[in-house]
Amino acid sequence: MSPIRREPGTDDALFWELAEPLLASGEVEEGTIMGFPCLRTSSGGFLAMAEHRTGDLVVKLAAGRVEELIEEGAGLPFAPAGRRFREWVHVPERDEALWQTLLDEGRAFVDGGSA
């Protein structure tokens, strides 16, 4: 397993703490997306990353689930460089249980195409 690369100047400790057991189990692997460290499923699909400026969770989910999280106020649209990604949500609140749930939902979605 490759070493976890933390982004300097961000508070991404919770993200990588939740990633460690997934990486150790082989359920996910470390990769890069847009030049930043991320998690990919064992099938190679992009799953999640720590937002590179803040360390917040950014995770891939079904578009309907993304909208639900945004409407509830738990998530924000993920729109790097102004382009919104429908199946990605930015979750700024540091809530370990929520982040774990969303990582699990994301892994099921990316591997199975539905959630």
Side-chain angles (χ1 to χ4, degrees), residues 33-107:
I33 186 170
M34 296 181 279
F36 298 100
C38 74
L39 299 178
R40 296 181 78 148
T41 65
S42 55
S43 64
F46 292 111
L47 170 59
M49 66 180 168
E51 201 281 330
H52 71 275
R53 291 177 298 269
T54 63
D56 298 342
L57 175 66
V58 177
V59 62
K60 186 172 186 176
L61 301 165
R65 180 65 167 131
V66 168
E67 288 304 317
E68 179 181 292
L69 289 164
I70 292 169
E71 288 172 12
E72 292 173 355
L76 302 168
F78 179 62
R83 179 176 171 243
R84 183 172 176 199
F85 288 70
R86 293 181 334 107
E87 293 182 331
W88 288 85
V89 65
H90 176 166
V91 184
E93 183 178 343
R94 298 293 193 277
D95 179 329
E96 183 174 346
L98 176 62
W99 284 22
Q100 184 66 65
T101 296
L102 295 176
L103 286 169
D104 292 342
E105 287 179 25
R107 196 172 66 246

